[in-house]
Amino acid sequence: DDGGPQPEKHCGHGRGGMGESVTRKEDKRFITGRGNYVDDIKKPGMLHCEIVRSPHAHARIEDIDGSRAMALDGVVAVLTADDLLEHDLATMPTLMDDTQDVLVNDKVKFQSQEVAAVIAEDRYTAKDGAEKVEVEYDVLDPVVDAEEALKEDAPLIRDELEDQEDNHIFDWDTGDKEATERVFEEADVTVEQQMEYQRLHPAPIETCGAVADWDPGKDKMTVHMTSQAPHAHRTLFSQVSGIPEHKVRIVSPDVGGGFGNKVPIYPGYVVAAAASYVLERPVKWIEERSENIQTTGFARDYDMTGEIAATEDGVIEGVKVDVLANHGAYNAAAQPSKFPAGFFNIFTGSYDVDAAYGSLTGVFTNTAPGGVAYRCSFRVTEAVYLIERMVKVLADELDVDPAEIRRRNFIPSDAFPYESATGWNYDSGDYEKALDKALEMADYEHYREEQQRRIEEDADKLLGIGISSFTEVVGAGPGKQCDIAGIEMFDSADIRVNPTGNAVLRIGVQTQGQGHETTFAQIVAEELGMDVDNITVEHGDTDTEPYGLGTYGSRSTPVAGAATAVAARKVREKAKSIAANELEAAEEDIEWDRESGEFRVAGAPDRSITITEIAAGAYMNHPGDEEPGLEAVNYYDPPEMTYPFGSYIVIVEVDRETGEVDFEKFVAVDDCGNRINPMVIEGQIHGGLAQGIGTAMLEEVTYDDNGNVTGGDFMNYLLPTANEIPNFETGHTVTPSPHHPIGAKGVGESPTVGSPPAIVNAVVDAMSHAGVSHVEMPMTPDRVWETLDEAGLAI
Ligand code: CDP
């Protein structure tokens, strides 16, 4: 082994290996309309499923009458919980060990919950049928707010659970409480801020859907579905249905964005499969937009109170946080089992903090279940928001520049590997370098002067400068720490080199638009000296791909990327033995040259052979003591997670008359270790920053007191468009991960995680001279104007 690629050193050898901006292979089919999404799948005899949903948030079902629907020409079946009970399919496990009704049995617990399903010859008839299903409800009082739900007189939501006497789900804590309290008692300065991370929805372009096809001849269930984790879903499907796992095939074809929304299993998938099983015909279920927003996994919904204890010079000594987490009607958060609050314990961020303590209470409410990792590693977004906001609060309290206060507290670059106060092992980082680069790109000093000038001249538009120097944790995860439904979070790669020298790479992760078909081929190109065009990447079909845990939390590169590099190196080892045979040399004399991609005899550079020639040798002239063929598999369990980081600087103008916020400058410096494809990374950063802007400025799933979803469609749940997105100036530093085979860390979620606090810090910064310490997200003009008004700044 030659130690893997070094930072930026092996870039540009022209075969499309590490560091080259290879254009995305998948784009040809996407931009020519040849993508194949679940709704594109049509099977002979296929039926369509429409779900009847409850208009009430909390109600007991008295009666369901499907006779008027059944009377419609083309309606084949109306399914209720009773039908599913017959097949033991009435409930399904959530990702957090709770049990959720597939179709409501007895009591509705959130608005739009699945009550019945109509199966018909076409989608229109199914929809007409659904409108004709008559359901009698006994409406109950709902509770949608987590704090209200914990009150003694709150309606009990989960009365079907034995021993459940209130709406409390769990308490979790981390860190050393006593040591942290001591630090707070003795500190020169303490600051406290309460802040909400509002309920968001990942809102992928493609909603969820499935085509289930039970084959009674083969006793096999094939489900094409919008899945970010096809293998894990296969195991769960098998467990729920009792169909043996080798008789279940999950295919996740092209997926139009997931962002964590397509990790859980939803009732629609199970209903489609149950209907196909009962009716022995393929059944398609495709969600509408409002169904997607109102019922599938939401994200965030954390009410947090943060505290910092520091010296009068602004050196942070302790961090405390208390959280109330609204989990909805079922505990269906997407977290590794051992972490009920996900990776929230990374709330000390990029800072060298002696003592930290966090506590969290999870609560049931009459709202849709969720708590998915929306473009984030299990609650790291909430943690990063908390600490980056709190550092700004401390900076304002002490009147120290927010860049300077960060510098005083960063974990020094020579302190890695670093163990945080809450027990996390950071692999590598150089936070000051990234901040310095961002400050330079943003022309920080100039804007600080301009900000002061505007204050002094009583200008109509105030200037605000926000910083976020975040640390991420991605690559779940070591099997010892992370699992989904008991299955350890390793990942896999299988490389088969063909006799003509090209190869097929099969990976356990599934792309939803991140460009894996290109970037994973680049890893093989780098490690085997092949041309990237000669490598095809396959994923998403459980019948052919090796078992993997799925794509979320930027885990693809840290885990499956590592598996790919290790599998390629196994192929390379075998290739050496074939090269020795072909070149008539001893195997120990064969060297691999990363730059040329050739295998050579040591000391005789003219005696060399390419991987294409070796592939031919493996099938046509294999050495007697070797098996023919050239392939390898690797299942990779990472020793630790990787810790990408970055510094974002956002400069905004706040209009004192209207409360409108305009982006003046948006600088993002990221460090994801060694970079596979700079162009793909740039795209990931742009997309994630756009989502961060949506979070900070526009998006929120809201409910009224009756439990009606008031932010459940795109008229009310506002996504940013090109109009709201400024020009992003991106930069990077490279700090390789020491334990990853190619030194890479993940990158996809950094911008969504890192940007909201930078944006909020900027808006607060525009008003902090008048004593403003916080503005809640989304920072709509009316909310900003109210803050301006309260601070005496509005005109
Ligand atoms: O798990 P997911 O693919 O969403 O996240 P990721 O591992 O952060 O990767 C996102 C995309 O960026 C993939 O196409 C990666 O191969 C690419 N990437 C890269 O080119 N270099 C890195 N160091 C990290 C990711």
Side-chain angles (χ1 to χ4, degrees):
D1 198 314
D2 69 342
Q6 301 305 307
E8 311 288 311
K9 190 172 149 202
H10 290 284
C11 303
H13 45 51
R15 291 185 300 276
M18 288 282 291
E20 291 184 40
S21 286
V22 176
T23 50
R24 296 186 356 149
K25 288 162 174 257
E26 43 271 81
D27 284 348
K28 184 174 177 191
R29 72 172 184 280
F30 294 145
I31 61 179
T32 57
R34 290 176 170 81
N36 185 36
Y37 298 87
V38 169
D39 202 16
D40 292 321
I41 290 161
K42 294 176 182 64
K43 296 197 172 196
M46 188 172 78
L47 297 167
H48 295 259
C49 167
E50 187 69 25
I51 292 183
V52 179
R53 296 177 183 277
S54 167
H56 307 290
H58 202 192
R60 225 166 270 289
I61 294 185
E62 302 280 321
D63 185 49
I64 303 176
D65 181 359
S67 56
R68 284 183 64 224
M70 281 303 289
L72 267 188
D73 204 18
V75 169
V76 177
V78 176
L79 300 178
T80 64
D82 287 345
D83 302 301
L84 298 182
L85 274 167
E86 266 178 44
H87 298 277
D88 237 1
L89 286 172
T91 58
M92 57 180 211
T94 69
L95 294 176
M96 282 301 273
D97 226 13
D98 197 355
T99 303
Q100 180 171 346
D101 284 352
V102 173
L103 295 174
V104 174
N105 182 20
D106 188 31
K107 196 174 84 165
V108 171
K109 300 180 184 74
F110 61 94
Q111 191 184 46
S112 297
Q113 192 173 359
E114 300 78 2
V115 169
V118 175
I119 316 293
E121 295 291 346
D122 62 75
R123 196 169 180 191
Y124 299 98
T125 310
K127 201 157 178 62
D128 287 348
E131 281 169 13
K132 291 198 181 309
V133 174
E134 290 164 310
V135 187
E136 240 177 77
Y137 296 98
D138 174 17
V139 180
L140 306 167
D141 282 339
V143 58
V144 295
D145 177 77
E147 211 175 314
E148 293 294 320
L150 282 184
K151 292 188 175 157
E152 234 169 68
D153 57 351
L156 178 61
I157 299 166
R158 299 299 300 277
D159 52 359
E160 86 283 12
L161 297 178
E162 253 178 66
D163 305 330
Q164 184 79 35
E165 283 164 6
D166 53 26
N167 296 316
H168 172 267
I169 314 176
F170 65 89
D171 289 314
W172 163 90
D173 70 348
T174 181
D176 188 333
K177 189 176 182 184
E178 273 174 37
T180 310
E181 294 295 354
R182 262 198 313 277
V183 165
F184 271 78
E185 274 159 28
E186 289 162 17
D188 298 342
V189 188
T190 61
V191 287
E192 180 178 330
Q193 180 65 53
Q194 195 227 334
M195 61 193 86
E196 277 176 33
Y197 213 126
Q198 78 272 28
R199 181 174 286 220
L200 296 177
H201 197 278
I205 291 178
E206 181 199 28
T207 59
C208 297
V211 177
D213 189 3
W214 169 250
D215 181 341
K218 290 183 180 162
D219 291 330
K220 184 161 181 169
M221 178 68 83
T222 299
V223 189
H224 284 73
M225 61 188 253
T226 46
S227 170
Q228 288 180 237
H231 283 96
H233 284 170
R234 183 184 71 187
T235 305
L236 287 172
F237 249 98
S238 166
Q239 285 169 350
V240 173
S241 66
I243 302 170
E245 197 169 351
H246 66 295
K247 297 283 188 184
V248 180
R249 178 185 176 204
I250 305 289
V251 186
S252 186
D254 287 329
V255 176
F259 310 115
N261 183 236
K262 290 166 181 169
V263 173
I265 288 201
Y266 295 120
Y269 300 144
V270 181
V271 170
S276 176
Y277 183 80
V278 173
L279 302 168
E280 299 192 350
R281 285 172 68 178
V283 176
K284 179 187 273 188
W285 165 71
I286 300 288
E287 223 177 30
E288 288 186 6
R289 175 61 56 191
S290 52
E291 294 180 292
N292 180 252
I293 299 182
Q294 292 176 18
T295 68
T296 63
F298 71 86
R300 327 294 190 230
D301 216 341
Y302 265 24
D303 183 349
M304 310 185 273
T305 304
E307 289 174 76
I308 287 187
T311 66
E312 57 192 13
D313 297 332
V315 174
I316 301 174
E317 295 170 312
V319 180
K320 257 196 303 193
V321 48
D322 187 44
V323 183
L324 199 57
N326 184 339
H327 277 230
Y330 297 92
N331 190 17
Q335 326 286 5
S337 318
K338 291 191 188 86
F339 298 101
F343 296 169
F344 188 74
N345 16 8
I346 191 159
F347 62 79
T348 52
S350 311
Y351 310 105
D352 190 9
V353 178
D354 293 338
Y357 178 70
S359 54
L360 179 142
T361 299
V363 187
F364 288 127
T365 61
N366 287 114
T367 63
V372 299
Y374 165 25
R375 204 162 182 171
C376 97
S377 283
F378 320 110
R379 306 294 191 178
V380 69
T381 316
E382 290 88 326
V384 163
Y385 183 69
L386 177 102
I387 186 67
E388 288 305 309
R389 279 294 298 115
M390 288 310 299
V391 168
K392 165 70 176 152
V393 171
L394 178 67
D396 285 347
E397 171 75 20
L398 296 174
D399 203 15
V400 178
D401 184 278
E404 175 55 26
I405 208 156
R406 286 180 164 82
R407 226 188 280 285
R408 288 182 199 169
N409 287 289
F410 279 147
I411 301 162
S413 59
D414 58 5
F416 295 90
Y418 171 86
E419 189 175 332
S420 77
T422 49
W424 290 75
N425 290 300
Y426 293 29
D427 58 347
S428 63
D430 192 341
Y431 305 141
E432 198 158 354
K433 195 168 160 188
L435 176 61
D436 284 344
K437 185 158 191 171
L439 291 170
E440 199 191 316
M441 285 171 67
D443 205 359
Y444 187 73
E445 292 307 328
H446 160 76
Y447 280 103
R448 278 281 171 226
E449 283 164 22
E450 170 67 11
Q451 179 182 42
Q452 204 49 41
R453 189 189 66 75
R454 292 196 192 193
I455 294 172
E456 281 160 18
E457 292 178 5
D458 201 24
D460 290 356
K461 290 187 179 180
L462 294 164
L463 205 69
I465 307 167
I467 304 178
S468 159
S469 287
F470 63 95
T471 295
E472 262 265 72
V473 49
V474 309
K480 61 185 180 213
Q481 286 175 312
C482 299
D483 69 275
I484 280 214
I487 308 160
E488 292 177 18
M489 283 193 191
F490 55 83
D491 230 288
S492 58
D494 169 341
I495 301 174
R496 298 181 189 179
V497 184
N498 299 323
T500 48
N502 42 38
V504 176
L505 166 69
R506 296 192 168 91
I507 47 178
V509 290
Q510 154 68 18
T511 184
Q512 305 115 39
Q514 299 94 321
H516 294 175
E517 288 167 39
T518 308
T519 53
F520 279 70
Q522 286 183 259
I523 299 173
V524 178
E526 175 70 36
E527 295 296 329
L528 287 179
M530 277 184 180
D531 192 293
V532 71
D533 290 337
N534 289 338
I535 301 144
T536 296
V537 177
E538 290 185 358
H539 48 71
D541 185 338
T542 58
D543 264 11
T544 48
E545 268 71 82
Y547 202 105
L549 269 288
T551 303
Y552 39 85
S554 284
R555 66 185 298 278
S556 302
T557 305
V559 194
T564 301
V566 174
R569 287 174 193 178
K570 282 187 182 175
V571 170
R572 204 162 76 201
E573 276 315 298
K574 181 164 181 190
K576 277 187 186 166
S577 127
I578 296 158
N581 190 45
E582 294 288 319
L583 295 169
E584 295 175 349
E587 195 178 327
E588 32 313 347
D589 290 340
I590 300 293
E591 289 172 347
W592 183 68
D593 177 54
R594 186 175 286 274
E595 208 53 47
S596 68
E598 288 176 350
F599 295 76
R600 293 184 179 145
V601 180
D606 54 325
R607 288 173 65 202
S608 66
I609 186 169
T610 64
I611 189 78
T612 306
E613 292 162 314
I614 290 173
Y619 290 90
M620 298 168 198
N621 182 31
H622 73 92
D625 53 355
E626 278 280 9
E627 284 177 39
L630 193 56
E631 59 184 67
V633 182
N634 180 253
Y635 281 76
Y636 188 83
D637 183 16
E640 281 297 339
M641 280 175 263
T642 69
Y643 293 73
F645 58 94
S647 265
Y648 295 166
I649 299 184
V650 175
I651 299 172
V652 295
E653 269 190 338
V654 176
D655 189 326
R656 292 168 62 196
E657 207 170 352
T658 62
E660 211 176 322
V661 174
D662 265 340
F663 292 98
E664 173 81 14
K665 213 171 177 57
F666 207 123
V667 170
V669 172
D670 273 279
D671 191 319
C672 58
N674 286 344
R675 300 170 354 128
I676 303 165
N677 185 322
M679 182 202 68
V680 167
I681 292 173
E682 177 100 353
Q684 293 286 306
I685 301 293
H686 279 216
L689 293 179
Q691 288 180 311
I693 289 173
T695 298
M697 309 305 297
L698 298 163
E699 299 176 36
E700 181 168 26
V701 181
T702 46
Y703 292 87
D704 69 15
D705 289 344
N706 291 324
N708 296 310
V709 196
T710 47
D713 53 45
F714 279 164
M715 289 298 285
N716 296 291
Y717 189 86
L718 302 178
L719 289 186
T721 68
N723 276 337
E724 287 78 35
I725 305 301
N727 180 43
F728 299 125
E729 293 168 51
T730 57
H732 69 277
T733 58
V734 176
T735 312
S737 168
H739 61 71
H740 190 281
I742 55 170
K745 303 177 179 185
V747 75
E749 67 189 40
S750 292
T752 343
V753 171
S755 61
I759 302 167
V760 177
N761 284 346
V763 174
V764 169
D765 191 66
M767 301 182 276
S768 52
H769 63 286
V772 171
S773 62
H774 186 61
V775 184
E776 293 286 15
M777 300 187 290
M779 296 184 295
T780 51
D782 55 333
R783 202 169 249 175
V784 175
W785 194 87
E786 267 169 34
T787 315
L788 285 163
D789 195 37
E790 278 163 26
L793 292 170
I795 50 174

